[in-house]
Amino acid sequence: GVLTGAEALLRWNHPERGVLLPSAFLTALEASSLAVPVGNWIIDTACRNAAQWREALSPDFRMSINLFSAQFRGGRLRSVVNDAMARYGLPGSAIELEITETTVLDDEALFLPLLEGLSEDGIQLAFDDFGTGFASLSLLARYPLTHVKIDKSFIQRAFVSERDRAIVGAMTDLAHRLQLQVIAEGVESQPFFDFCREIGCDEAQGFLIGRPVAAARFGTACKRWLGQLARQA
């Protein structure tokens, strides 16, 4: 029943087509020369907002930020993150960087040392959409992770299928044995929330907790969500 943080989501306010979701532009962005500067802007903006919300909402507030693979190849990711945290007075625990299994498999020799360096700086690291890629479970042991995010599709199937329920339960148990926190994605109703709690997930995110909002409205929305969570607890 406690709000632990938020995920920074990217939208494009197109002058003619209105607000576009990532599916409309993210693939092109990731493949372009803009991936690194846009990614660095996201880190800076998210850190600035995190500092504001840690002061207004909770001193333990954590901001989750998705990374482009190009940011790893640019060679400055660690300094970009640390510079942004220093600029806004944030500890490493205030930031959670998200990567996918598929991304790290592209070039483990490049990704693993960078992630180990970020971990040494105290930054939280999460596998996003866990279970949907082709990664070996041994990645959980080799990478310096703090969180595993179970993909929405697994959670939804586990709600109606005993086999999928067993898989999600086993994934959660394995993560806990490796001292990792488990986050359930795509929690959109109270029954799903109760189910995730029952199988041992540590945190949940999704429309039940709060829908995406502009940063300018987040503080006000949070106070409303906190009231709802208090009533549900």
Side-chain angles (χ1 to χ4, degrees):
V2 176
L3 184 70
T4 58
E7 180 174 356
L9 303 176
L10 190 63
R11 300 289 185 267
W12 181 7
N13 289 308
H14 193 281
E16 296 175 358
R17 298 169 59 189
V19 178
L20 302 181
L21 296 177
S23 58
F25 64 87
L26 199 59
T27 300
L29 175 58
E30 287 185 292
S32 77
S33 60
L34 292 175
V36 172
V38 169
N40 293 347
W41 171 81
I42 293 171
I43 290 172
D44 182 82
T45 304
C47 285
R48 184 179 73 241
N49 288 332
Q52 173 187 341
W53 296 328
R54 281 170 72 87
E55 182 176 344
L57 299 170
S58 167
D60 298 320
F61 186 93
R62 187 176 84 245
M63 177 66 82
S64 183
I65 305 169
N66 295 276
L67 297 175
F68 299 133
S69 60
Q71 290 173 272
F72 286 87
R73 302 182 194 287
R76 293 191 61 251
L77 177 61
R78 187 177 179 183
S79 61
V80 166
V81 173
N82 277 283
D83 288 350
M85 291 194 307
R87 192 154 45 245
Y88 301 109
L90 294 174
S93 59
I95 300 299
E96 177 184 282
L97 300 179
E98 293 189 18
I99 53 173
T100 63
E101 308 157 61
T102 308
T103 297
V104 299
L105 285 176
D106 286 343
D107 194 343
E108 265 197 89
L110 170 66
F111 284 83
L112 184 54
L114 277 170
L115 292 173
E116 288 174 338
L118 290 164
S119 178
E120 290 172 5
D121 299 331
I123 294 162
Q124 311 286 291
L125 299 171
F127 262 166
D128 192 17
D129 301 332
F130 185 71
T132 59
F134 302 98
S136 164
L137 289 175
S138 65
L139 282 183
L140 293 181
R142 295 207 309 275
Y143 277 73
L145 304 172
T146 55
H147 295 77
V148 171
K149 302 184 75 172
I150 299 180
D151 188 66
K152 172 182 178 178
S153 61
F154 270 100
I155 298 296
Q156 292 181 336
R157 290 200 303 268
F159 192 65
V160 296
S161 163
E162 283 297 325
R163 285 179 174 239
D164 286 299
R165 182 189 181 99
I167 290 173
V168 172
M171 290 166 60
T172 301
D173 184 59
L174 175 62
H176 285 161
R177 287 174 181 269
L178 294 170
Q179 299 183 323
L180 304 175
Q181 297 284 295
V182 177
I183 304 172
E185 296 183 299
V187 177
E188 299 179 357
S189 69
Q190 190 64 42
F192 275 108
F193 184 88
D194 295 338
F195 167 72
C196 293
R197 177 183 284 171
E198 180 185 334
I199 63 174
C201 294
D202 302 288
E203 299 179 6
Q205 70 176 75
F207 287 178
L208 175 69
I209 315 299
R211 292 178 177 269
V213 295
R217 295 174 50 207
F218 183 76
T220 302
C222 266
K223 292 174 183 176
R224 183 176 69 252
W225 295 334
L226 287 168
Q228 293 171 349
L229 289 170
R231 289 191 293 274
Q232 293 166 5

